C-alpha cells in the first residue's frame, strides 16, 4: 500500500477484503513521511474516524481501518507535515484530542510545525487532561522538533496561548525535548506553553523564544522544570494563582507552589526573566538570568517575586545561580508582604557594563507590609556565600546597592543572616539599618573552649591558645582573628564565684575569675564567643 491519502490507491479508497486483513502503508502523503504504519480491517465497525488511528474505507458502513500500535502516538499519523509551510494546527489538535481521551504518549517527531492564530478563542492548541493521569509529550530535541507560531498581528487573538495544557489534581505529566518559537519581529505575541491547574509536572529540555510569555503557570504546584530556556520574550516565565478548576477535583487557588527550576536559561527578555506572584517554596538552582530588563525602567529586571505567606512561610530560594547584564530595577526583586524566609546562597552577580545594569542586585521591598499581619514573626533573609562583582566599564555607586532592604515604614520586619559574601565594589556593599539585626553576628558561635584552671584547653574551636597571665586571669587567643565586635559568654566549672570578660579585641578575649568575696581565684571554665 502506498499512502493513506492517495486518491487512486490509498487506504481511504479501499474496503478490506476480509475481517482482520492487514496492510502496510508507507506514508500519510508521501512515502516515508512518518505518517504510515500497519492497519487492519475491522469489518462492520462504525467507530468515528479520527484521521490518525481510525479511517473509513470506500464504504463507510462496511467497516474501519485501524492502526496497529502500542503506547506512543506520532503527530504525523494525524497528517501533520512539519515542513514549516503547511498549517499543521488542525492535524496537531487531532493528535492532542486523541491522546487526551486514551492517555497515550505523544511524539512530536522531527519537523517544524507551523501553527496559526485562531479566528476565535484563547488558544491555538489545547490538551485537556481533566481526570486523566500519566501522559508524556516529547520531541526529538529543541532544534529538531519545533512548534512555530506564525502569529497574525492583525488578529486581536494573536496574543493567545500557543499550547495550552489543562489538568487537575493528581496529574503526572511530562513534557520534553521540543521548542515553541514565535516570529522574528519586534511585536512578539502568544504564550508559548501555558500550564494550568496541574500538579507533579516535569518539563525538560524545552526552548521558548520570540513570544509574549515563554511559559505561563496558573495554579501549578509540586513541579520541576529542568534545562528550560526562555529567550527574547516579554517575560520568560510567569506564574500566578487565580482559582482552581471547577469540578469534583477543584483544588482552589494555588500560586506557584513547591516548584523547582534547575539549569534554566532566562535571557534577553525585555521585561523580566521571570515573574512569580504569591509564590511559596519556589527554588531556582544553577540557572542563569542574563540580559533581561530595560535600562532606566525600574519596573523590569531579572526575577520578580511577590510573597504574602498565604500558602506557607518559605518564599524564594535562589541557589548557585548566575546574574549578569540584566537592566532595570534589580537582578532579584522580592515584594514582601508576609512573614517568612528567603534564601540566597552561592550566587554570582556581575555588573560589567556602564550602559546595562540594575539599580540593585537584590531588592527586598517591605513597604507594602502591614506590621499587624506579622504578629511576633519577622521575615528572615539569608545571604550566604554570594559573590558581587564589579568590573569592566561598570563603576560602582553608593546609590546602587548589592543588597537593598526597604523596610515597611517604621516597622523593622527583616532579620538578616549575612555570611561569607564578597563585595568587590566596596561602596555598593549592603548597609543594613539599625532595625535589621544581622543574626549571623549574634547567633553564630565564632569560638568556644573548655579550659583547666591553669589555662590548658580540654576542648576548643577557633582557639590558638589560652594563657594564664595572673591569678584568675586568662587570655584566650583566637586561631582566626575576629573581624567584627563579638560577645563572649563565660561560665565557671566546679567552683562558686564570679566570671566576667575584662578585655577583648580582634585577636583575643580576657576572662577574669573571682571568689564570692571578689578575690581573684583560679578555676576551670568554659567560654563561647558569638
Amino acid at each position: 500500500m502506498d499512502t493513506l491519502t492517495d486518491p487512486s490507491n490509498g487506504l481511504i479508497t479501499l474496503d478490506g477484503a476480509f475481517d482482520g486483513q492487514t496492510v502496510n502503508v508507507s506514508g500519510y502523503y508521501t512515502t516515508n513521511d512518518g505518517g504510515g504504519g500497519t492497519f487492519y480491517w475491522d469489518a462492520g465497525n462504525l467507530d468515528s474516524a479520527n484521521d490518525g488511528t481510525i479511517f473509513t474505507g470506500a464504504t463507510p458502513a462496511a467497516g474501519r481501518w485501524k492502526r496497529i500500535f502500542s503506547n506512543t502516538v506520532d503527530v504525523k499519523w494525524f497528517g501533520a507535515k512539519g515542513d514549516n509551510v503547511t498549517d499543521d494546527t488542525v492535524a496537531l489538535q487531532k493528535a492532542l484530542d486523541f491522546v487526551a481521551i486514551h492517555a497515550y504518549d505523544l511524539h512530536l517527531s522531527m519537523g517544524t510545525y507551523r501553527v496559526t492564530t485562531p479566528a476565535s478563542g484563547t488558544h491555538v492548541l489545547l490538551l485537556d487532561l481533566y481526570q486523566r493521569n500519566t501522559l508524556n509529550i516529547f520531541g526529538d530535541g529543541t532544534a529538531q522538533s519545533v512548534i512555530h507560531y506564525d502569529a497574525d498581528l492583525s488578529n486581536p487573538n494573536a496574543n493567545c496561548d500557543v499550547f495550552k495544557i489543562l489538568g487537575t489534581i493528581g496529574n503526572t505529566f511530562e513534557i520534553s525535548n521540543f521548542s515553541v518559537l514565535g516570529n522574528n519581529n519586534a511585536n512578539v505575541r502568544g504564550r508559548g506553553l501555558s500550564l494550568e491547574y496541574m500538579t507533579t509536572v516535569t518539563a525538560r529540555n524545552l526552548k521558548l523564544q520570540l513570544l509574549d510569555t515563554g511559559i505561563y503557570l496558573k495554579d501549578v504546584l509540586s513541579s520541576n522544570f529542568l534545562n528550560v530556556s526562555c529567550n527574547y520574550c516579554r517575560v520568560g516565565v510567569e506564574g500566578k494563582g487565580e482559582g482552581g478548576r471547577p469540578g469534583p477535583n477543584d483544588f482552589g487557588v494555588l500560586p506557584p507552589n513547591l516548584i523547582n527550576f534547575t539549569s534554566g536559561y532566562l535571557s534577553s527578555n525585555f521585561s523580566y526573566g521571570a515573574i512569580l506572584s504569591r509564590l511559596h517554596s519556589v527554588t531556582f538552582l544553577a540557572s542563569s538570568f542574563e540580559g533581561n530588563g530595560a535600562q532606566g525602567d525600574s519596573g523590569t529586571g531579572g526575577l520578580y517575586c511577590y510573597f504574602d505567606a498565604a500558602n506557607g512561610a518559605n518564599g524564594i530560594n535562589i541557589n548557585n545561580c548566575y546574574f549578569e547584564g540584566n537592566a532595570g530595577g534589580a537582578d532579584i526583586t522580592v515584594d514582601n508582604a508576609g512573614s517568612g524566609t528567603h534564601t540566597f546562597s552561592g550566587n554570582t552577580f556581575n555588573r560589567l557594563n556602564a550602559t546595562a545594569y540594575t539599580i540593585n542586585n537584590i531588592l527586598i521591598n517591605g513597604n507594602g507590609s502591614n506590621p499587624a499581619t506579622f504578629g511576633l514573626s519577622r521575615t528572615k533573609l539569608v545571604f550566604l556565600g554570594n559573590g558581587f562583582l564589579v568590573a569592566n566599564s561598570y563603576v560602582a555607586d553608593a546609590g546602587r546597592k548589592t543588597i537593598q532592604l526597604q523596610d515597611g515604614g517604621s516597622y523593622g520586619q527583616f532579620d538578616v543572616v549575612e555570611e561569607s559574601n564578597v563585595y568587590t565594589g566596596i561602596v555598593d556593599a549592603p548597609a543594613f539599618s539599625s532595625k535589621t539585626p544581622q543574626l549571623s553576628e549574634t547567633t553564630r558561635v565564632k569560638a568556644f573552649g573548655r579550659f583547666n584552671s591553669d589555662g590548658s584547653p580540654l576542648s576548643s574551636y577557633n582557639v590558638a591558645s589560652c594563657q594564664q597571665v595572673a591569678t584568675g586571669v586568662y587570655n584566650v587567643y583566637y586561631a582566626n582573628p575576629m573581624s567584627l565586635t563579638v560577645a563572649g559568654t563565660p561560665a565557671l566549672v566546679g567552683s562558686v564565684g564570679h566570671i566576667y570578660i575584662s578585655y577583648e579585641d580582634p585577636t583575643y578575649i580576657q576572662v577574669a575569675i573571682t571568689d564570692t568575696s571578689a578575690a581573684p581565684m583560679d578555676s576551670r571554665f568554659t567560654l563561647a564567643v558569638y
Side-chain angles (χ1 to χ4, degrees):
M1 183 70 62
D2 187 13
T3 67
L4 292 166
T5 57
D6 185 343
S8 62
N9 193 34
L11 190 71
I12 60 174
T13 66
L14 300 175
D15 292 335
F18 54 88
D19 188 38
Q21 178 190 6
T22 62
V23 296
N24 293 317
V25 181
S26 66
Y28 201 99
Y29 302 105
T30 60
T31 299
N32 298 324
D33 65 4
T38 301
F39 292 79
Y40 73 95
W41 178 250
D42 190 356
N45 184 277
L46 299 179
D47 289 346
S48 297
N50 59 23
D51 298 327
T53 63
I54 303 175
F55 292 84
T56 59
T59 309
R64 298 291 184 266
W65 288 107
K66 293 189 175 180
R67 187 183 293 269
I68 299 173
F69 70 99
S70 61
N71 300 325
T72 300
V73 172
D74 195 300
V75 294
K76 291 180 179 177
W77 295 357
F78 289 81
K81 287 188 175 182
D83 59 6
N84 201 26
V85 176
T86 304
D87 186 348
D88 283 325
T89 306
V90 172
L92 292 177
Q93 189 58 58
K94 288 179 180 179
L96 292 168
D97 290 343
F98 179 77
V99 298
I101 294 171
H102 300 286
Y104 289 109
D105 292 344
L106 182 62
H107 183 202
L108 192 72
S109 55
M110 185 180 298
T112 298
Y113 300 89
R114 176 176 169 264
V115 297
T116 55
T117 304
S120 62
T122 61
H123 58 268
V124 178
L125 301 172
L126 174 66
L127 175 63
D128 192 340
L129 298 177
Y130 191 49
Q131 296 182 327
R132 300 287 175 185
N133 289 318
T134 303
L135 177 64
N136 300 323
I137 297 178
F138 63 96
D140 293 324
T142 57
Q144 291 75 29
S145 299
V146 178
I147 297 174
H148 170 211
Y149 178 43
D150 189 8
D152 178 1
L153 300 183
S154 66
N155 189 322
N157 297 315
N159 209 32
C160 62
D161 296 320
V162 179
F163 189 1
K164 175 182 283 189
I165 303 174
L166 301 176
T168 188
I169 194 167
N171 290 127
T172 302
F173 177 70
E174 182 167 323
I175 187 168
S176 63
N177 294 310
F178 67 88
S179 298
V180 181
L181 307 181
N183 285 328
N184 188 12
N185 57 53
N187 298 306
V188 293
R189 292 291 189 273
R191 296 193 291 204
L193 181 62
S194 179
L195 304 177
E196 302 186 15
Y197 317 119
M198 302 189 76
T199 62
T200 56
V201 174
T202 299
R204 295 184 294 108
N205 302 327
L206 300 176
K207 179 185 289 186
L208 301 106
Q209 290 185 346
L210 299 166
L211 301 154
D212 178 78
T213 305
I215 296 178
Y216 176 71
L217 307 175
K218 176 182 174 182
D219 298 296
V220 174
L221 79 158
S222 300
S223 296
N224 292 284
F225 295 80
L226 303 94
N227 300 315
V228 172
S229 173
C230 297
N231 319 115
Y232 305 105
C233 302
R234 183 185 62 84
V235 176
V237 176
E238 183 176 5
K240 62 176 65 176
E242 294 185 346
R245 183 173 188 175
N249 292 324
D250 179 12
F251 46 70
V253 177
L254 285 174
N257 192 341
L258 304 174
I259 297 177
N260 294 324
F261 295 89
T262 303
S263 299
Y265 185 54
L266 305 175
S267 75
S268 304
N269 299 293
F270 55 83
S271 180
Y272 277 100
I275 297 176
L276 301 171
S277 299
R278 304 185 69 209
L279 80 169
H280 164 228
S281 291
V282 172
T283 298
F284 284 89
L285 175 65
S287 295
S288 293
F289 291 77
E290 299 182 52
N292 301 291
Q295 189 63 30
D297 185 350
S298 62
T300 67
L303 168 64
Y304 172 86
C305 308
Y306 175 75
F307 174 74
D308 62 4
N311 285 272
N314 178 252
I316 190 72
N317 305 286
I318 312 294
N319 303 319
N320 302 107
C321 291
Y322 185 84
F323 296 82
E324 182 178 308
N326 297 306
D331 288 312
I332 302 172
T333 299
V334 179
D335 269 342
N336 195 80
S339 178
T341 62
H342 308 296
T343 301
F344 310 87
S345 175
N347 301 295
T348 295
F349 296 88
N350 291 345
R351 288 195 277 196
L352 308 178
N353 193 317
T355 60
Y357 55 82
T358 55
I359 299 171
N360 302 290
N361 291 124
I362 301 175
L363 170 65
I364 314 294
N365 179 16
N367 285 325
S369 303
N370 179 358
T373 66
F374 289 88
L376 299 177
S377 299
R378 297 159 63 90
T379 291
K380 308 299 188 294
L381 305 174
V382 179
F383 305 99
L384 177 63
N386 301 289
F388 297 85
L389 175 67
V390 169
N392 298 345
S393 62
Y394 179 79
V395 178
D397 189 300
R400 298 192 293 266
K401 292 297 185 182
T402 52
I403 302 173
Q404 178 71 268
L405 307 185
Q406 294 180 349
D407 294 328
S410 61
Y411 175 67
Q413 71 176 82
F414 301 122
D415 289 334
V416 174
V417 175
E418 191 272 334
E419 192 67 49
S420 302
N421 300 293
V422 174
Y423 308 98
T424 62
I426 308 301
V427 298
D428 61 4
F432 301 124
S433 72
S434 60
K435 299 184 295 180
T436 306
Q438 291 179 249
L439 299 184
S440 60
E441 304 306 327
T442 58
T443 63
R444 187 172 70 84
V445 175
K446 296 179 177 294
F448 66 83
R450 182 181 179 94
F451 305 94
N452 287 316
S453 58
D454 62 359
S456 60
L458 292 170
S459 62
S460 65
Y461 163 73
N462 196 26
V463 172
S465 64
C466 178
Q467 298 179 7
Q468 184 177 20
V469 295
T471 301
V473 180
Y474 303 87
N475 288 349
V476 179
Y477 292 90
Y478 304 127
N480 297 297
M482 303 295 177
S483 59
L484 299 172
T485 302
V486 297
T489 304
L492 293 173
V493 177
S495 301
V496 177
H498 306 283
I499 185 170
Y500 57 94
I501 304 299
S502 56
Y503 177 80
E504 63 180 0
D505 71 20
T507 62
Y508 77 97
I509 189 167
Q510 187 176 86
V511 175
I513 301 174
T514 63
D515 61 19
T516 55
S517 63
M521 74 171 186
D522 297 336
S523 175
R524 289 180 295 161
F525 67 96
T526 63
L527 173 67
V529 179
Y530 298 91

